[in-house]
Amino acid sequence: MSEMHATTIFAIRHRGKGAIAGDGQVTFGNSMVMKAKARKVRRLYRGKVIAGFAGSVADAITLFEKFEIKLEEHHGNLQRSAVELAKDWRSDRVLRRLEAMMIVMDSQGLLLISGNGEIIEPDDGILAIGSGGSFALAAGRALQRYAPDMSARDIARAALEMAAEICVYTNHNIAIEEIE
């Protein structure tokens, strides 16, 4: 989905629960690992929303802050907050330069918010972004389809582990947040 390096974020809604998993690698340029245990998956809005980001760390922190403000303004409404953030992202000259993507989830919805103002809700309840996103997406879809008894959390972990075995910008330091 995105060619941003230094991370993989995977999200799934499965069997009544949701999970977002992210690895911990931060890469400087194309040749050096700067940090191995970054936390790119967080809880927002009083713990009712989980979010994961791919892209520039500073840009993603800015987006987390802006999205949390939107969640407060719209009383935790995920869809409305995402639309308002995307509008700002498109129109604000400072925000427009941010190089990051976010996956956000609450008890009802799962959305990808991109810097060009797109908001995407997946048909199958699975999203993945970052340099290892395609690998994690394929693994997660296969697990959801052929190992349906696995939990959302277990599928998210396994998808990230598989991506880490293939993608040089993804490591095995996996953080997972789960939501009912």
Side-chain angles (χ1 to χ4, degrees), residues 90-167:
R90 271 195 310 257
S91 60
D92 185 286
R93 20 174 261 253
V94 175
L95 282 180
R96 207 175 6 208
R97 291 192 182 98
L98 297 182
E99 294 183 14
M101 297 178 87
M102 291 176 59
I103 293 176
V104 295
M105 177 188 289
D106 66 6
S107 63
Q108 303 299 312
L110 170 61
L111 303 170
L112 167 69
I113 308 170
S114 75
N116 55 8
E118 290 180 345
I119 299 170
I120 298 165
E121 186 171 17
D123 292 332
D124 61 359
I126 299 176
L127 286 170
I129 57 175
S131 55
S134 297
F135 306 123
L137 185 66
R141 282 185 175 162
L143 290 167
Q144 183 189 46
R145 191 171 300 158
Y146 299 110
D149 291 339
M150 287 180 76
S151 69
R153 179 183 197 87
D154 290 344
I155 291 173
R157 176 174 296 285
L160 251 287
E161 287 172 352
M162 289 180 206
E165 290 173 12
I166 301 167
C167 177

Side-chain angles (χ1 to χ4, degrees), residues 25-42:
Q25 185 162 302
V26 175
T27 307
F28 184 73
N30 288 325
S31 59
M32 186 167 58
V33 175
M34 291 292 290
K35 186 172 175 79
K37 296 180 182 176
R39 190 125 174 112
K40 300 176 221 166
V41 178
R42 299 197 178 147

